[in-house]
Every structure is written in C-alpha cells, then in structure tokens.
C-alpha cells in the first residue's frame, strides 16, 4: 500500500493481518511505502519498499520477524523475482538490475551491466519478467522509453541485450514509456502495460 504498510488476507479464515513500520521494533517493516511483494520458491515473502530498501518475511518463523536487507540500505526497490536456479534479481531505483543468492544472508551480489551498442548504460528498471524460456524482459520507467530483452550467458545467444523502444498504434509509431507491468501469455507473446501510454504486445514470432 501507499503509506499503509503490508496487509495479508487469509482466504479461509478471512482475517486481515497488518504489517507496518515500528521505529521501536527492528523486526518490523523498514517502510510503509510498498513497491512490490514477491513469494519465492521456498515460500518466503520479499517486500520492496519506496524508501526503505528490501525486507524479507521469514514464514518459517511464523511471520513474526521481518528482516531488513542491509546491502540495499534505504534505496527504492521496484521489483524482485527468482529464476529456476534459485538466484534472485531485483531492480534498484537509478542503479539498475542486481543478482544475488540467499543463504541466511545475501551472497554473490552482482550488478548486471546493461549497455547498448553505443555504450549507453540503462539503470532505470521498473519491472522484471522471466519468460517460459528463461529469457528476461525488463521494463523501464521515467523518461527512458522501452523494454529490454536480456538473454543470460546460459542461453548462449549471440546477442545479450535487445532493445524495444517503440510500437505501432493507429498507423503511427508510439514510443513505449513508463512500463508498469509485463506478462507472458500462452502463445509466448509479451504484453507491456504502461502508465499513461497504453498497452503493447510483443509478438513472439517476431522477437
């Protein structure tokens, strides 16, 4: 929520649990401004905040303890996800995409440098999607248009990054700005939802 912290609804028992920042409790949320929530493959809950970095809710401890991930300080975390190798990826405001492992703490923290053929670096990543083939789709925010296709080294593709900055709409070229969400459908097409600039579809056979 915006300033209201984190809420959990139990669909069976119906009560709503509230998690909020308590300056006197180090095991509470680091901020009440929540950007994203993600459940990993081990059922833990990761919470990215606007001004309090990254939090982890350890469900094995009854959801009573919330850990603040110190490596990201109080930075803004836009999105977080996990791949099939159990590596985590998160986007940090104005810093770009990071990869790390979690073993009772962050291990092997690494920034993924996103640079085009002209040497331009791309750091403003708002959304992360890993498709059914293990390819990453990165949405950009602010005044930087486009969606980035990222093929990890394990894919052994010649081109690591592909940049999609515009689409066709109403017989004219439309730039893709302020990506708010990414989704892969059953055909492998990538849908791009934006904030104020409409909906785009990247058709798989042309990618």
């Amino acid at each position: 929520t915006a300033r209201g912290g984190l809420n959990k609804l139990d669909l069976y028992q119906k009560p709503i649990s509230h998690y909020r920042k308590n300056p006197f409790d180090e095991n509470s949320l680091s901020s009440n401004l929540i950007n994203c929530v993600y459940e990993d493959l081990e059922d833990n809950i990761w919470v990215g905040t606007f001004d309090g970095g990254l939090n982890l809710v350890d469900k094995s401890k009854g959801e009573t303890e919330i850990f603040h991930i110190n490596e990201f300080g109080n930075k803004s975390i836009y999105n977080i996800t996990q791949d099939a190798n159990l590596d985590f990826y998160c986007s940090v405001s104005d810093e770009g995409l990071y990869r790390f492992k979690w073993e009772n703490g962050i291990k092997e923290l690494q920034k993924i440098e996103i640079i085009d053929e002209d040497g331009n670096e791309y750091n403003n990543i708002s959304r992360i999607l890993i498709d059914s083939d293990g390819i990453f789709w990165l949405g950009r925010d602010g005044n930087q248009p486009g969606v980035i296709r990222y093929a990890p080294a394990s894919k052994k593709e010649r081109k690591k990054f592909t940049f999609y900055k515009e689409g066709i709409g109403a017989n004219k070229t439309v730039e893709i700005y302020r990506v708010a969400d990414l989704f892969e459908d059953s055909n492998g097409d990538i849908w791009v939802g934006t904030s104020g600039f409409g909906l785009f579809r990247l058709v798989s056979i042309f990618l």
Side-chain angles (χ1 to χ4, degrees):
T1 66
R3 302 188 183 279
L6 182 67
N7 300 287
K8 185 190 76 170
L9 171 64
D10 188 322
L11 295 178
Y12 297 98
Q13 299 183 9
K14 303 302 181 183
I16 297 178
S17 302
H18 305 280
Y19 302 87
R20 292 186 173 89
K21 178 179 180 178
N22 181 347
F24 303 104
D25 182 3
E26 63 179 12
N27 290 324
S28 68
L29 283 176
S30 60
S31 171
N32 287 324
L33 293 166
I34 309 301
N35 282 339
C36 62
V37 181
Y38 176 73
E39 183 178 44
D40 68 22
L41 298 176
E42 296 181 342
D43 299 327
N44 293 311
I45 303 296
W46 297 81
V47 183
T49 71
F50 176 75
D51 59 356
L54 185 63
N55 295 259
L56 171 63
V57 182
D58 189 343
K59 294 178 69 174
S60 69
K61 298 186 177 181
E63 302 177 8
T64 58
E65 293 188 13
I66 299 177
F67 301 96
H68 183 217
I69 310 303
N70 293 324
E71 283 80 355
F72 295 106
N74 291 324
K75 298 171 183 175
S76 184
I77 307 297
Y78 282 141
N79 211 197
I80 182 168
T81 192
Q82 187 179 29
D83 68 10
N85 297 319
L86 304 184
D87 290 342
F88 289 92
Y89 296 80
C90 72
S91 54
V92 182
S93 176
D94 297 325
E95 292 192 15
L97 184 66
Y98 284 85
R99 176 175 58 218
F100 65 88
K101 295 182 180 296
W102 178 260
E103 299 172 4
N104 295 318
I106 283 188
K107 309 292 184 183
E108 302 178 27
L109 179 64
Q110 175 191 9
K111 180 180 178 181
I112 298 175
E113 303 288 348
I114 304 173
I115 301 175
D116 66 17
E117 296 176 348
D118 296 322
N120 299 309
E121 186 174 5
Y122 297 82
N123 288 326
N124 205 358
I125 305 299
S126 60
R127 287 292 177 268
I128 309 168
L129 169 69
I130 305 177
D131 70 18
S132 54
D133 292 324
I135 299 296
F136 286 68
W137 296 88
L138 311 174
R140 302 171 65 202
D141 194 15
N143 295 322
Q144 298 178 324
V147 174
I148 301 168
R149 181 186 186 273
Y150 163 48
S154 60
K155 296 300 175 182
K156 298 181 180 180
E157 293 192 11
R158 181 181 62 83
K159 199 169 185 179
K160 188 174 183 180
F161 297 109
T162 305
F163 299 84
Y164 301 89
K165 297 184 179 181
E166 56 189 29
I168 302 297
N171 299 318
K172 65 178 181 179
T173 299
V174 181
E175 289 191 314
I176 306 173
Y177 277 101
R178 296 180 183 174
V179 175
D181 205 4
L182 295 166
F183 174 76
E184 180 190 17
D185 67 18
S186 57
N187 296 319
D189 297 346
I190 304 299
W191 293 80
V192 183
T194 69
S195 178
F197 293 87
L199 179 68
F200 296 81
R201 181 177 63 159
L202 302 178
V203 182
S204 59
I205 62 172
F206 298 116
L207 300 178

